[in-house]
Amino acid sequence: MSEPLLVEVGEGWRKLTLNRPDKLNAFTVELHRALAAALDEAAADPSCRALLLTGAGRAFCAGQDLESIGTDPAGVRDLLTEHYNPLIRRIRAMPKPVVCAVNGVAAGAGANVALACDIVLAGKRAKFIQAFAKIALVPDSGGTWFLPRLVGEARARALALTGEAVSAEQAESWGMIWRAVDDAALMEEAGRLVASLATGPTAALGLIKQALEASADNTLEGQLALEAKLQRQASEMPDYAEGVAAFTQKRPARFTGQA
Ligand code: T3D
């Protein structure tokens, strides 16, 4: 049987490919375990400075594998507490950028895992479907948190209640994702972006993620205080001196990514 997750290690980056193409890369417990381990390894490895998440075949991910679960409510709850919620937390807390290349349909939890990533590119054939209501479930994996913040209350409600598909181009124009690109160009563009992020000031990028994460729940005063604290941390890191030196010497910066 083939591996449910493929891990490719590049120069400063890792590509994680959900690999159950016959089932549109739907999540099983095995896939969850492999993805959790790969994310933990990437987080702990200083040589990995950016991550790319994508799917094999024609889909990104069709959410939970509906054939591998029963309808026992305890099982559904355990899946969320043991697998989906930790997955979303891992992506959001990852101290380095996570790019998602949505190469096809992203449905159910698959859509919300994509939305949890820092920068989402989607091929034009991709679509995002909050499929939950179609099987009488509630959007999970952060969907009810991400959607209103990304697309506003009106669209979030309609998408969650109807399960209507959103095309990649619509998702871009609504601000749900960063960019819709030609399908043939998707992986090249995502690869370029990840390679470029992998040469960035990784520790400072991690602090940027922290600041943005906190802003959803902070007052302006709270956020200003946090920015001052994080900025001080950033300015004490070697990449700040390098960034300023590179600017004044009119040359590209050579960031180490270290704190
Ligand atoms: O316990 C819990 O459930 C809690 C956790 C919830 C998290 C969730 O994600 S709930 C939502 C689960 N996902 C869905 O409801 C989506 C189900 N899939 C679809 O609606 C459609 O497949 C798509 C819209 C995503 C794509 O449609 P289409 O026409 O392009 O493809 P297809 O023919 O439906 O699917 C192709 C194959 O993938 C097919 O298998 P087959 O017949 O060729 O052997 C299909 O059964 C399989 N597949 C697609 N989605 C899933 C799946 N197999 C298992 N689980 C799936 N989610």
Side-chain angles (χ1 to χ4, degrees), residues 42-218:
D45 180 357
S47 76
C48 171
R49 295 168 62 185
L51 280 162
L52 174 58
L53 179 63
T54 192
R58 72 177 175 91
F60 171 65
C61 174
Q64 173 60 35
D65 185 315
L66 297 173
E67 289 168 6
S68 74
I69 52 157
T71 51
D72 172 13
V76 172
R77 189 196 56 224
D78 290 351
L79 270 175
L80 296 195
T81 56
E82 286 173 24
H83 298 292
Y84 287 101
N85 293 356
L87 168 58
I88 300 303
R89 290 189 194 107
R90 277 187 172 91
I91 294 172
R92 301 298 281 194
M94 178 67 62
K96 43 200 94 176
V98 184
V99 173
C100 187
V102 183
N103 52 304
V105 67
N112 296 331
V113 167
L115 298 183
C117 295
D118 296 308
I119 303 180
V120 186
L121 298 176
K124 287 186 181 164
R125 72 163 180 219
K127 49 192 176 173
F128 297 81
I129 311 175
Q130 294 295 323
F132 305 87
K134 306 250 187 217
I135 54 167
L137 282 183
V138 175
D140 59 27
S141 307
T144 58
W145 195 90
F146 297 124
L147 270 183
R149 286 168 170 80
L150 291 170
V151 300
E153 191 70 22
R155 287 169 180 149
R157 282 179 187 257
L159 294 179
L161 293 171
T162 66
E164 206 175 282
V166 179
S167 70
E169 283 168 301
Q170 184 73 82
E172 179 191 314
S173 80
W174 282 356
M176 196 167 127
I177 63 167
W178 168 237
R179 197 169 280 164
V181 301
D182 287 336
D183 294 304
L186 175 68
M187 292 318 295
E188 199 183 319
E189 188 152 331
R192 257 199 313 271
L193 176 59
V194 167
S196 151
L197 289 165
T199 62
T202 315
L205 301 186
L207 297 183
I208 293 173
K209 286 185 62 166
Q210 268 185 47
L212 291 170
E213 196 69 12
S215 79
D217 301 318
N218 250 345

